[in-house]
Amino acid sequence: MTTMRETTATKRRRFRQLFPERSDFAHVRRHWHTDLLAGLTVAVVALPLALGFGIASGLGAFAGLITSIIAGVLAALLGGSNLQVTGPTGTMAVVLVPLAATHSHTGVMLVGVMAGIMLVALALCGAGRYARYVPVPVVEGFTAGVGIVIAVQQLPPALGLPSQNAHLITGAWESLRTFAAAPDWAPVAVTFGVVAAILLGSRLHSQIPTPLLAVIAATVVVWFAEPGVAVIGSLPRTVPAPEAGFLDFASEAPQLVAAAVAICALCALESLLSATVADNMTVGRHHNPDRELLGQGVANLVTPFFGGMPSSGALARTAVNVRSGAAGRLASLTHAVVLALMMLALAPLVAHVPLAALAGVLIATSIRMIEVGSMLALARSTRADAAVMWLTLAATVLFNLVWAVAVGIALAGLLALGRISRSVSVEEEPIDHDDHHDEEAALLHEHIVAYRLEGPLFFAAAHRFLLQLLDVADVRVVVLRMSRVSTMDASGATVLADAIRRLEHRGIAVYLSGLEPVHAKPLEALGILEPLWQQGRLFEHTSEAIAAARRRLKADGLLEQLEAEAGALRGESEAERP
């Protein structure tokens, strides 16, 4: 009863932790000014990204902008990270392109609602905690890869060219070729100036909002000196009323379930990894993964009613937020509010911000995201960790986020399985002869062997375990000590049962000792324990099993002696017959 009450109390406490608390805004009194400046800086950076990702998804610029506002506010209030910035992302835009082409804007909004419901369900089930098992080399490789992707993506605006819709590497190469044919050095100078100002300013004084000042300075310079440099341009200036006309679960939802699952997985993965990276960029910060899933779920559930697109935690904007000195949720809230003000009131001024200046902000951010020291330490640690990190980085650059993390986790899992499988051991144990007479000790030495099984007995180690165990020869009894088996899956149980049957078929009796109840279940399901129990071969302690084996050998030896004597008597009687 006490355990049940404790479990219920734990569940209630975990459920309460999914919702906002007073501590969420504990930093406001001390850091409100730095949060406001960080939010303003992120908003300036997020504006062209929101518009661009909206256009790239096929839903239009306004869809990206309204998503940054609505989802940004909801995720900032309900999410599990104090530093996360939510909005449309490049990865999400790529996934939405075919969906928008086949099911139009209404289908994408319905998918967003369905994905939001799935994310809320994952949060209530506590699925977010499993994100902590993503290996550190995967996170480091992913972070560095995203930094490289962000920098390469900014190459077209930095060169004064339109964005490329081709693959990342192909688009960068085409941009370089186009620039070489007709170079325009003004955008390059703006980008280089902003990058240099941010990197140097962060070294001199970290509290100064260098990105914002650099963007303002670049805007002023371009306004007076280089009016030909590309700028953001005009913005939409209206907030629509919520509508629910797209909700058609009966006819549309069955066709969109697979897309909703994919977007749910992408949002969860991208958001939790972004929050993890934000934690790693700070000291003493830890997000609540389940609450982050809840916040992202509610954001995706509500945003479509305003015409928005599916969103997730945005690593680039989150990194800008952290690097700009954000200390709490007020920064991400400010980002969303400032975007709304820009759309409603400041559109004519924001329209003159050069795209090259924003490219410089993102390039500087990407440079600061790559932790060279951590990467070198991982590269020097073990070959396995280095391989996982570099492969994840390469997959992030060459493919996309989902493939990168999947490849990294798969490789890390395979390497871990290899290490774990090598840790299982089957070692012969010497039998203690101190308590036996000389003739009994000789009997034990000649006919009984004890093996200690240690470590996880699962599919990766099963074959090697079987080969080691079946190598035994010239014995009458095998005692298997199971007390140090840490894990046993169905494959391990099947192999163990097969080994016992093979030994029994060879006339070798098998005794088990120290078998844990949790490990007995799979063996019982295979029908191997019932015969051993009926024959008295299951024991709690190894000494008891050896004593039983000794009694068996003595009984077998006496029977053999009687049979030998009876045979001799029969031979003598037959010899006396005429």
Side-chain angles (χ1 to χ4, degrees):
M1 180 64 75
T2 304
T3 305
M4 185 177 297
R5 289 177 179 175
E6 292 176 353
T7 304
T8 304
T10 302
K11 291 181 179 179
R12 289 178 179 175
R13 184 168 59 254
R14 184 182 301 165
F15 183 76
R16 287 196 300 267
Q17 291 175 349
L18 294 176
F19 298 97
E21 301 174 349
R22 287 186 177 181
S23 59
D24 293 340
F25 294 92
H27 298 86
V28 172
R29 291 186 178 181
R30 291 178 295 172
H31 303 285
W32 62 269
H33 54 291
T34 56
D35 280 353
L36 290 177
L37 289 174
L40 182 60
T41 303
V42 176
V44 174
V45 173
L47 182 59
L49 296 177
L51 299 174
F53 291 147
I55 295 172
S57 67
L59 304 177
F62 180 72
L65 185 57
I66 198 66
T67 299
S68 293
I69 296 171
I70 304 298
V73 169
L74 293 174
L77 292 173
L78 303 176
S81 172
N82 290 333
L83 304 173
Q84 181 91 284
V85 178
T86 297
T89 63
T91 308
M92 192 69 73
V94 172
V95 174
L96 293 178
V97 168
L99 188 62
T102 55
H103 294 278
S104 73
H105 195 164
T106 57
V108 174
M109 291 190 293
L110 180 58
V111 166
V113 171
M114 296 168 64
I117 295 173
M118 295 177 186
L119 286 167
V120 172
L122 288 177
L124 296 177
C125 294
R129 75 190 73 170
Y130 297 107
R132 72 187 65 174
Y133 297 114
V134 177
V136 172
V138 175
V139 176
E140 288 289 344
F142 163 78
T143 306
V146 169
I148 295 174
V149 170
I150 292 172
V152 176
Q153 284 178 340
Q154 303 314 306
L155 191 58
L159 299 176
L161 301 172
S163 299
Q164 298 282 348
N165 294 325
H167 184 268
L168 182 70
I169 306 300
T170 305
W173 176 248
E174 291 298 327
S175 297
L176 290 173
R177 290 181 59 185
T178 304
F179 179 80
D184 181 6
W185 295 103
V188 177
V190 171
T191 302
F192 181 79
V194 171
V195 171
I198 293 174
L199 295 181
L200 293 176
S202 62
R203 288 179 175 272
L204 296 176
H205 200 300
S206 60
Q207 299 301 321
I208 297 177
T210 310
L212 179 59
L213 296 179
V215 169
I216 293 175
T219 304
V220 173
V221 170
V222 169
W223 175 276
F224 289 103
E226 292 288 344
V229 176
V231 295
I232 291 177
S234 61
L235 299 175
R237 302 178 61 178
T238 57
V239 177
E243 295 182 2
F246 64 91
L247 291 178
D248 187 7
F249 287 101
S251 59
E252 291 287 337
Q255 308 173 28
L256 299 174
V257 171
V261 171
I263 290 175
C264 170
L266 178 61
C267 176
L269 189 60
E270 193 166 14
S271 300
L272 293 177
L273 283 177
S274 177
T276 302
V277 171
D279 291 344
N280 294 338
M281 294 173 67
T282 58
V283 178
R285 296 297 182 92
H286 301 285
H287 70 282
N288 184 330
D290 292 327
R291 184 177 168 185
E292 182 63 27
L293 291 181
L294 179 67
Q296 297 295 337
V298 173
N300 280 281
L301 188 60
V302 174
T303 302
F305 291 94
F306 293 88
M309 57 189 283
S311 62
S312 67
L315 182 55
R317 276 151 278 178
T318 300
V320 172
N321 191 40
V322 176
R323 295 300 187 187
S324 299
R329 297 172 185 266
L330 182 59
S332 50
L333 281 172
T334 301
H335 139 268
V337 172
V338 169
L339 283 177
L341 293 176
M342 288 178 178
M343 183 179 66
L344 297 174
L346 303 178
L349 297 176
V350 177
H352 296 287
V353 174
L355 295 178
L358 299 176
V361 172
L362 291 179
I363 291 174
T365 300
S366 65
I367 293 174
R368 298 168 68 186
M369 282 176 59
I370 301 174
E371 299 288 344
V372 178
S374 300
M375 295 182 66
L376 291 178
L378 278 175
R380 290 193 298 263
S381 60
T382 64
R383 292 183 178 179
D385 290 338
V388 171
M389 180 183 66
W390 294 121
L391 187 62
T392 305
L393 188 154
T396 303
V397 175
L398 298 176
F399 303 107
N400 56 49
L401 169 67
V402 177
W403 276 104
V405 176
V407 168
I409 292 178
L411 180 60
L414 289 175
L415 294 174
L417 285 178
R419 289 193 295 267
I420 294 173
S421 65
R422 289 191 295 270
S423 68
V424 67
S425 62
V426 183
E427 299 180 0
E428 182 178 351
E429 282 195 334
I431 299 175
D432 188 4
H433 297 161
D434 294 341
D435 297 332
H436 310 301
H437 299 294
D438 292 340
E439 63 274 12
E440 292 175 339
L443 185 66
L444 292 173
H445 179 71
E446 293 176 1
H447 298 287
I448 297 178
V449 62
Y451 284 97
R452 182 181 74 250
L453 278 64
E454 188 168 356
L457 185 59
F458 69 133
F459 68 94
H463 181 68
R464 190 164 61 89
F465 157 77
L466 179 64
L467 294 178
Q468 286 184 260
L469 191 57
L470 293 182
D471 194 42
V472 62
D474 299 328
V475 296
R476 301 278 293 279
V477 176
V478 169
V479 178
L480 299 181
R481 181 180 176 183
M482 307 288 294
S483 60
R484 297 188 182 181
V485 174
S486 58
T487 303
M488 182 187 298
D489 66 354
S491 299
T494 302
V495 168
L496 179 61
D498 185 41
I500 292 174
R501 292 191 181 100
R502 292 192 190 189
L503 292 172
E504 295 279 354
H505 182 71
R506 289 164 51 186
I508 301 174
V510 178
Y511 288 69
L512 298 185
S513 69
L515 184 64
E516 297 290 339
V518 67
H519 301 151
K521 290 183 179 180
L523 291 174
E524 186 176 2
L526 293 172
I528 198 66
L529 289 188
E530 183 67 21
L532 294 179
W533 180 78
Q534 291 179 354
Q535 298 173 24
R537 300 186 191 174
L538 295 179
F539 296 91
E540 183 176 357
H541 302 290
T542 304
S543 58
E544 298 173 350
I546 293 176
R550 182 186 63 183
R551 292 193 296 270
R552 174 190 176 91
L553 288 179
K554 290 181 67 175
D556 291 347
L558 179 60
L559 180 60
E560 289 177 356
Q561 183 179 358
L562 292 176
E563 290 177 350
E565 292 178 356
L569 291 175
R570 286 195 298 270
E572 292 178 359
S573 60
E574 291 177 358
E576 292 176 356
R577 291 178 185 176

